[in-house]
Amino acid sequence: MAENVLKKIIEKKIKKIENLKKTISLDSLNELINSNRIFINFKEKIENNIKENKFSIIAEIKKASPSAGILFENYNPVDIAKIYFKNGATCLSVLTEEDFFLGNLSHIYKIKSLSNPMEPPGPENHCIPILCKDFFIDVYQVQLAKYYGADAILIIL
């Protein structure tokens, strides 16, 4: 990715985070996370596959990229997640950067709504870990991703 695109992404990200911090504090986010969220152990899911001598597939959900443009015109992250669930993905990677990759944290929440971590995985319970993939530049973003249901994060540098 060209350095000037990366610089633009970071500049926009800084402004967005500053605005988000004005609407909900880090302490408030942490309280909401502790009271309302259940998480799936991303690392354990992959380790279990290794113990069972199985491959682990982390399937990516991404609408666009600066280099390739729009990848899916009729992008529906929930429908894509269902296809990945059906075909045995171990985990999902959801690209959430909004301005250049056309992602959104709400995509994680919508996908996570398909599953109930208290029930075993099955045709009606799509319970697999979700990784949030974004340009993380502030600890606030980590908690924000967790608030939306991310089980892990991948930091794009």
Side-chain angles (χ1 to χ4, degrees):
M1 184 177 315
E3 187 176 323
N4 61 348
V5 173
L6 183 57
K7 185 177 177 181
K8 288 177 186 176
I9 291 171
I10 299 305
E11 287 170 358
K12 282 196 167 210
K13 189 66 71 179
I14 289 168
K15 289 177 186 173
K16 283 186 182 236
I17 295 167
E18 288 172 1
N19 289 331
L20 282 169
K21 285 180 177 179
K22 292 174 187 172
T23 61
I24 186 166
S25 71
L26 185 57
D27 288 338
S28 295
L29 267 181
N30 286 329
E31 286 176 27
L32 290 167
I33 290 165
N34 292 333
S35 65
N36 295 324
R37 301 291 187 253
I38 297 171
F39 299 96
I40 305 165
N41 191 321
F42 191 92
K43 179 182 173 189
E44 185 178 275
K45 187 79 169 179
I46 293 172
E47 286 175 339
N48 287 343
N49 276 1
I50 292 169
K51 288 176 190 172
E52 295 174 18
N53 205 23
K54 295 180 181 176
F55 285 102
S56 290
I57 298 171
I58 302 171
E60 185 169 66
I61 297 176
K62 172 171 71 172
K63 181 175 182 172
S65 76
S67 59
I70 294 181
L71 303 172
F72 297 97
E73 284 297 331
N74 298 317
Y75 178 76
N76 184 323
V78 173
D79 288 345
I80 295 168
K82 287 177 182 178
I83 292 167
Y84 286 149
F85 291 137
K86 181 180 174 186
N87 288 286
T90 309
C91 306
L92 298 179
S93 171
V94 180
L95 214 141
T96 59
E97 195 284 323
E98 295 177 344
D99 297 307
F100 295 84
F101 290 85
L102 307 178
N104 195 296
L105 283 166
S106 69
H107 297 166
I108 292 173
Y109 179 79
K110 289 173 184 174
I111 294 166
K112 198 78 170 225
S113 299
L114 297 172
S115 68
N116 178 353
M118 303 311 278
E119 298 288 329
E124 300 302 318
N125 186 28
H126 308 297
C127 188
I128 66 174
I130 298 176
L131 174 128
C132 176
K133 187 174 178 182
D134 207 323
F135 294 83
F136 286 83
I137 59 170
D138 190 304
V139 70
Y140 183 86
Q141 290 175 271
V142 176
Q143 294 309 95
L144 194 61
K146 195 170 186 179
Y147 169 72
Y148 277 91
D151 300 296
I153 63 169
L154 187 140
I155 302 170
I156 303 171
L157 298 174

